[in-house]
Amino acid sequence: MTQQVLFVCLGNICRSPTAHGVFAQVVSDAGLQSQVLVDSAGTGAWHIGEAPDGRATQAARERGYDLSPLRARQVAIADFERFDYILAMDRTNLMHLEALAPEDYSGHLSLFLDFHPNSSEREVPDPYYGGDDGFNRVLDLVEAASRGLLQSLRAD
Ligand code: 4NP
């Protein structure tokens, strides 16, 4: 059965494209690319159509992930019809998604880091206004949570 996963942050140029690129790679490494479809979107509209932030692309490239084909888009109501998992990077993103979600949404809407093996990690910090360290921190969190998410999908 095909499962569809959507990662959501604010701008869809830093955190969620990183999650998109990393998780797509993890899925592909597991040979599951035809069974698990991955996408990302932002709650905000400022960066629609833009490529990921150059710092995110560079940090990801250094770990072997290619974010360059991705383009930002905004979350739409139709996403709740399509996606089985909608995973927010922080609590503000989650609050916006909960406000947007149809009452009868039957998929899984939560924080992405619910799948991180260390339960003290809850939110992926927004790296946009910080230095390059922030982007590596995002990658550390996203890589760990991606492995947890794959295990969970396999158990579904
Ligand atoms: P993201 O980071 O939500 O991880 O893509 C941000 C990108 C842009 C802005 C804020 C956060 N912004 O204010 O434009």
Side-chain angles (χ1 to χ4, degrees):
M1 191 184 84
T2 304
Q3 289 180 301
Q4 303 215 40
V5 179
L6 180 68
F7 296 107
V8 178
C9 63
L10 176 60
N12 193 209
I13 56 167
C14 298
R15 292 165 292 173
S16 61
T18 300
H20 184 162
V22 169
F23 189 61
Q25 186 67 52
V26 164
V27 164
S28 166
D29 289 348
L32 296 172
Q33 63 277 4
S34 61
Q35 287 156 69
V36 182
L37 306 184
V38 186
D39 197 5
S40 61
T43 59
W46 309 285
H47 299 285
I48 291 172
E50 290 179 21
D53 186 289
R55 297 166 296 173
T57 304
Q58 179 60 28
R61 183 179 295 127
E62 284 167 13
R63 296 195 193 190
Y65 309 106
D66 182 14
L67 307 187
S68 64
L70 305 180
R71 294 294 176 270
R73 71 170 181 89
Q74 190 174 24
V75 173
I77 296 283
D79 288 323
F80 291 94
E81 286 163 26
R82 181 177 152 205
F83 289 95
D84 308 293
Y85 284 75
I86 299 183
L87 301 174
M89 296 297 134
D90 65 33
R91 290 190 179 88
T92 306
N93 308 146
L94 181 59
M95 201 176 66
H96 284 128
L97 289 166
E98 285 169 346
L100 200 62
E103 268 180 28
D104 61 352
Y105 178 59
S106 58
H108 178 111
L109 175 59
S110 77
L111 292 170
F112 180 32
L113 295 194
D114 286 354
F115 295 94
H116 192 292
N118 176 350
S119 62
S120 68
E121 303 286 1
R122 306 297 292 139
E123 301 185 285
V124 182
D126 186 346
Y128 189 65
Y129 293 106
D132 290 344
D133 278 2
F135 289 84
N136 279 313
R137 173 83 178 129
V138 169
L139 279 160
D140 289 341
L141 292 167
V142 160
E143 285 182 329
S146 290
R147 289 191 288 272
L149 176 59
L150 184 70
Q151 278 184 4
S152 186
L153 290 180
R154 282 186 140 145
D156 265 5

